[in-house]
Structure formats: structure tokens, C-alpha cells
Amino acid sequence: RREDSVEGSAGRGPPRLSPVGPPVLHPPFGRRLQALPQPHPCLAGASSDGANSYGQLGLGHKEDVLLPQQLNDFCKPGCVRRITGGGGHSAVVTDGGSLFVCGLNKDGQLGLGHTEDVLYFTPCRSLLGCPIQQVACGWDFTIILTGNGQLLSCGSNSFGQLGVPHGPRRCVVPQAIEPLREKVVSIAAGLRHALAATASGIVFQWGTGLASSGRRLCPGETLPLFLTAKEPSRVTGLEDSKATCVVAGSDHSASLTDAGELYVWGSNKHGQLASQAAFLPVPQKIEAHCFQHEKVTAVWSGWTHLVAQTETGKVFTWGRADYGQLGRKLESHENWKLDKQGLSLPCPRPQKSTPSPLHCLMGATEVSCGSEHNLAVIGGACYSWGWNEHGMCGDGTEANVWAPKPVQSLRLSSGLLVGCGAGHSLALCQLPALPALDQGSKVTGPSPDATEDAKSQEAMDKEKLEGKTTRISTQSQSDTCRNGGLVTEPL
């Protein structure tokens, strides 16, 4: 068991944790499910695997799963728009704007009005009639972007991560983040901080998650307000650029501009900022030569590593590498230490802190980063790599995966979307066509709205509680939405 931890102590940060997982990743763990019957490939759509101590896989139990398992009936899988996860919870946004959540809920991060853990994907009924565009799940909180560009938040507010400075220490129902008066187009949630980019390209940050590292690594310096703010504060240093996307790690932030430039700030403990400084209090651009002078078109962040894609489809990785996060093994001499004063070092920059192309990911159409593992879709195949202690790579083992490889259990399905939590994985897949349906087979069409989704969920929960067998519905081939399903893995 790894002994390294996320910095922090009572009053300043979370307790000592695994570097890549929420409390769900600590013993006691649930019984490993290594040999569960696999779903028929024509029915599997959404799947999950990984750590599951709080029900974050939505499978109705709290046992880890080492192979992708099918999820059924919480919504029409072909209409899933986004899937993502946090420290111990998961979220799915449908094309209709409905939000489904499950998993750890001790601080109300599911936004359901209570603090009980939820084992099945459940509609967030307080948001019915309010279409959701995007969700960002942090360690123990959730940031929600509505269709009209407004922000909501729920969960823990111990570090101001909800953006409500005078609010309670936790909120169990999504509440508006008031100071932002401009339409938001992108959001991100880290361990204890959050970010938003507006339509005009301004970046805001809130939550004190980066402040403790900043004070320790930049002694005597006055930190920028946005590192210590408990309400949205404009990130300085980006005035001459227009942000289109923001991402967050456990202790760092990044912003992608419309010119294809990538700016980073925060902790550089693992070389994730491609800099020789230990901490960057203000944004610093990663030079274009690091990406072979190509524009960056997309960026994703794990807790301590980053992944970026350029205009020609090349994929670059950099940052922490000791569990296979970068998809490549590095030289053994990389026990390089950062200079805590941010001074230049006489030794060359280690390979892990320099963005390097991962040729096998060329042309990836989807990428998602967990805490220390990753998923990607390349040519319709779902790939995984990185930390795999709880089976989140979906290969049936707990051995770290050092290079991207196809998830064999999904080889008959085409990947559409992927999403990671800190220690679990989710994938939406295009399924092979079913044989001719029997006359008595029931075909379920798309849900007309979120209210119908909620009714279906209530009926399903009641059926499961009564111990009855849950039916598996098939997606109509004539649906205008994507025909697929969701599978999950423990992480």
C-alpha cells in the first residue's frame, strides 16, 4: 500500500490519503468481483469498473469490480451526453439536460437533499426543468453548469470550493454561485478548488486548495487573491488571452486559449506544469515547442499529470509517472527534486516534466483522466492505462498498466464517451446490432423528459428493493440519439 499522501492536515486540508484516491480507496475494501458474468455485448452500453466502496459505479452494491459491468435502466443510454466522476461519486448528463448521480454523499455532493450514499444512478430532482450542460466533480463537492450558462454547486464548502463565501460548510441541494454575472462555458473541479471560463474568455477560480502549497513553496510572497478566494475571483495573468476551457488537478490549474496556447499554475511537485519552479502563483504559458509548435486543441488533467491533444491529433502527456499515468516508462534517473525557491536548476529538466507525444494515441476522439489513470477512445476502441490497484483499467487485474491498451471486455463495442472518477471508470459504447427481436420483446424509446426519467428510476429502485430481477431494456434502432449503453469500472 502506498504511503505517500496529499499534503494537508486538520484545519488546512484533507487527512492523509492515497495520492490518487478518496477514502473509498483505503481499507477495508469491498470484496473483489473478478468473475461476474459479462453482459451480452448487444445489450451492454454503459459500463463501469473500479473502486466502489460508496456505490459510485451505480451497480447497486459496494464491491470493487475488476471488469466492466453493464448498467441498465437509469436512463436511455443512447442519450448520454457527458459522464464524469469525483472522489467517490459519479454524474451523468443526458442529451435532454437531466442529471443522474450516485455514490458518496456524506457532504451532499450528489445534490439530492440528504447525505446518504446512493447505490444507483438517481435523477437530481431539484434540477428538473433546469437543463444541465456540464458537471465537474471534485473530491467532495460538485459544480454544475446549466444550459443558460449559470453555475450551481453542492457538497463540502470547507475550503470555499462551492464559491459561496458566507454559506454553510456543506450544501445538500445545488445553490447558485452568485458573483458570476457572465455566461460560463467551461468548468473544472480539483481536490479543494474550482474554475470557470466565461464566454468572453475570462477565467475565475475559487477555493483555497492551492493556497497552502503556495505559502509553503513561495515564502515571503503575497499570493494572488484568486488562490485564497472563497468566491469566484478573476485569475490574473491571462488578460491578453481568451480562455475556452479550464481543467484542474489536485493542486494545480490549467487554461486553454482560443489561440491554442496552454497556461498552467499551482503546484509543480511532479513536473505537471512543465516548469522548473516548485510553484507557479500566476499562469505561465507552456512554450509551443513543447508541443512541436502545434496548437493545443484539447487538454485533460489527472491529479498530478496532464494530457493534451494538438491540431494534428497528436497526444502529449507529462507529470507524475510512477504508476503508468503517462503511458510510457521513464528513465530510472528521474528521482529529480524541484527547487523549492523556483530557481533554475543546473541539471536538465526530467523527461516527465516535458510534454512528450504518445504515438499510440494519435487521433484519439475521447480522453478522460482519473486521479492517476486514463481512458481514451481511438478508432472506436476503448483504451486504458495507469494506476490499476482497484481494477479501474478494466483488464481484470490490479497491476498498473504502463502503456495504453484496449479494454478487451469492450472489444465488441465501439466507444463513444469515457469518463473517470478518482478511482473508477465509465464508458458509453455503441453496441453490435441485436438479432431479430421476438414479437414479445419490449423496445424502450427515449425518455421524453427528465420527469419521466425520474419516474422510471423510482419504479426501478422499488423493484430492486423488493428483490425482483431488474429487466434489461433494449434501445430502439430508430432512436435519433446515439444507440449505446453505459459500462462502469472500479477505480
Side-chain angles (χ1 to χ4, degrees):
R1 186 69 59 190
R2 295 190 301 276
E3 297 298 333
D4 43 354
S5 65
V6 173
E7 289 83 2
S9 60
R12 293 190 296 111
R16 289 181 63 85
L17 305 169
S18 160
V20 292
V24 63
L25 303 180
H26 289 277
F29 295 107
R31 176 173 59 85
R32 305 292 187 192
L33 295 182
Q34 301 185 50
L36 285 181
Q38 292 302 293
H40 189 288
C42 293
L43 298 180
S47 69
S48 63
D49 56 56
N52 192 37
S53 296
Y54 297 103
Q56 59 264 49
L57 298 186
L59 296 171
H61 59 74
K62 294 185 176 183
E63 299 167 326
D64 284 4
V65 180
L66 303 187
L67 290 169
Q69 296 297 312
Q70 180 184 352
L71 291 173
N72 298 308
D73 285 353
F74 72 90
C75 73
K76 301 301 172 286
C79 293
V80 173
R81 177 191 297 163
R82 295 177 183 268
I83 46 181
T84 189
H89 62 298
S90 304
V92 170
V93 178
T94 70
D95 281 337
S98 298
L99 173 62
F100 290 80
V101 292
C102 68
L104 181 61
N105 194 35
K106 71 180 183 65
D107 291 299
Q109 54 262 56
L110 301 186
L112 299 176
H114 60 77
T115 56
E116 298 296 320
D117 295 346
V118 176
L119 306 185
Y120 299 102
F121 276 99
T122 300
C124 190
R125 294 181 178 86
S126 62
L127 298 177
L128 293 179
C130 179
I132 304 305
Q133 179 68 28
Q134 184 185 352
V135 174
C137 298
W139 172 267
D140 52 9
F141 67 102
T142 304
I143 305 297
I144 302 167
L145 175 61
T146 68
N148 60 5
Q150 294 183 330
L151 286 186
L152 307 171
S153 62
C154 56
S156 172
N157 197 34
S158 298
F159 299 92
Q161 60 266 56
L162 296 189
V164 185
H166 305 296
R169 290 185 64 85
R170 70 180 185 187
C171 180
V172 299
V173 175
Q175 58 185 337
I177 300 178
E178 296 293 350
L180 282 172
R181 296 181 177 85
E182 188 176 352
K183 182 177 180 180
V184 173
V185 296
S186 177
I187 56 175
L191 191 72
R192 300 173 296 228
H193 73 289
L195 296 147
T198 68
S200 65
I202 299 174
V203 176
F204 290 86
Q205 181 171 306
W206 61 96
T208 60
L210 278 60
S212 58
S213 296
R215 295 189 184 100
R216 184 177 67 257
L217 298 173
C218 302
E221 292 187 32
T222 300
L223 297 179
L225 176 62
F226 66 84
L227 293 182
T228 60
K230 295 186 176 181
E231 61 183 350
S233 176
R234 182 169 181 172
V235 175
T236 54
L238 296 172
E239 290 79 10
D240 296 329
S241 62
K242 180 180 179 180
T244 58
C245 173
V246 288
V247 298
S250 65
D251 211 18
H252 68 263
S253 301
S255 172
L256 179 61
T257 74
D258 62 349
E261 299 173 331
L262 184 60
Y263 288 81
V264 291
W265 61 97
S267 173
N268 192 35
K269 181 177 180 180
H270 299 281
Q272 64 264 44
L273 304 189
S275 169
Q276 291 184 346
F279 189 91
L280 294 176
V282 294
Q284 176 176 294
K285 183 175 71 173
I286 298 180
E287 296 301 325
H289 68 80
C290 292
F291 303 108
Q292 301 179 356
H293 297 282
E294 294 185 9
K295 292 181 179 180
V296 177
T297 55
V299 62
W300 303 269
S301 181
W303 277 19
T304 49
H305 71 287
L306 286 97
V307 180
Q309 188 170 41
T310 62
E311 56 191 332
T312 63
K314 296 175 184 175
V315 175
F316 294 75
T317 64
W318 68 101
R320 189 170 183 173
D322 48 353
Y323 299 107
Q325 300 96 310
L326 304 188
R328 48 193 165 87
K329 286 192 175 181
L330 305 181
E331 298 297 329
S332 59
H333 65 262
E334 287 198 16
N335 45 2
W336 175 78
K337 301 297 182 184
L338 289 164
D339 173 61
K340 291 191 176 183
Q341 300 303 320
L343 302 177
S344 297
L345 300 179
C347 59
R349 180 186 294 171
Q351 185 183 1
K352 70 177 184 180
S353 70
T354 302
S356 298
L358 204 54
H359 300 295
C360 61
L361 295 182
M362 179 73 178
T365 55
E366 290 285 332
V367 176
S368 182
C369 296
S371 56
E372 303 288 356
H373 77 285
N374 313 267
L375 299 175
V377 176
I378 310 164
C382 185
Y383 285 70
S384 64
W385 71 99
W387 184 52
N388 195 31
E389 185 178 354
H390 301 282
M392 47 276 231
C393 290
D395 63 355
T397 78
E398 295 171 303
N400 296 334
V401 179
W402 293 91
K405 66 178 184 180
V407 179
Q408 290 300 314
S409 297
L410 302 178
R411 65 186 181 279
L412 298 179
S413 303
S414 297
L416 296 174
L417 294 175
V418 288
C420 294
H424 61 285
S425 300
L426 303 102
L428 179 71
C429 300
Q430 176 81 28
L431 308 175
L434 282 170
L437 294 174
D438 295 335
Q439 292 297 319
S441 297
K442 183 175 182 179
V443 177
T444 305
S447 176
D449 53 35
T451 303
E452 291 301 316
D453 286 338
K455 291 179 180 178
S456 298
Q457 178 65 31
E458 289 173 348
M460 183 186 70
D461 288 346
K462 181 178 179 181
E463 195 173 63
K464 288 176 179 175
L465 288 174
E466 292 173 352
K468 296 181 179 179
T469 301
T470 304
R471 64 179 175 83
I472 298 178
S473 64
T474 59
Q475 181 79 14
S476 170
Q477 298 298 312
S478 62
D479 285 351
T480 57
C481 296
R482 292 181 299 273
N483 176 35
L486 190 61
V487 291
T488 63
E489 305 176 72
L491 291 165

